[in-house]
Amino acid sequence: MMTVDQDTIYQYLDGRELLHTTLMEREQLLQELEKLVKASQEMRCSEKVARFPLMRAQTLLFELSVISEYIDSVIFEINCYAERCGKPRVQVIEMQLQ
């Protein structure tokens, strides 16, 4: 019979909590980016170029790419702990963009 190290279980649970927090952060960045896009769609064509906050949009895209890599790393770590302590793995589901 295998005895699971309690620390491994704590690491697994902490990882899942960290993943949840990080996904919420990602959701906030996506919502902010969506607001920028919607606001620019409401402007007249001549105003779009002058008023679209390009620097902010680029910053958001960069932050999203960094956080996405971080999410991948956290999932990998969680799944390593899950394997060691017999807990469910985190599954990534590919979504189709519309």
Side-chain angles (χ1 to χ4, degrees):
M1 185 164 136
M2 183 178 117
T3 304
V4 178
D5 181 16
Q6 194 67 31
D7 189 50
T8 302
I9 294 172
Y10 288 141
Q11 292 291 343
Y12 170 80
L13 295 173
D14 287 347
R16 290 191 63 103
E17 187 175 318
L18 178 60
L19 178 60
H20 174 73
T21 302
T22 307
L23 289 172
M24 297 299 291
E25 221 176 292
R26 179 181 169 268
E27 179 65 28
Q28 290 172 348
L29 292 172
L30 287 170
Q31 287 175 359
E32 188 175 342
L33 186 60
E34 184 177 13
K35 286 178 188 176
L36 290 178
V37 171
K38 284 182 180 180
S40 72
Q41 289 174 344
E42 294 172 358
M43 291 184 245
R44 292 190 314 250
C45 190
S46 61
E47 293 177 323
K48 285 183 184 179
V49 175
R51 291 195 180 176
F52 185 76
L54 187 58
M55 292 297 289
R56 182 63 189 145
Q58 288 175 328
T59 301
L60 287 170
L61 290 172
F62 175 75
E63 289 174 8
L64 282 165
S65 70
V66 169
I67 208 166
S68 293
E69 288 179 20
Y70 184 68
I71 288 169
D72 289 343
S73 298
V74 170
I75 290 172
F76 177 79
E77 290 296 319
I78 290 170
N79 287 338
C80 287
Y81 287 118
E83 198 173 291
R84 292 184 1 215
C85 67
K87 297 285 186 184
R89 294 172 53 90
V90 173
Q91 295 184 5
V92 178
I93 301 170
E94 297 287 329
M95 299 201 54
Q96 297 280 333
L97 295 177
Q98 297 179 16

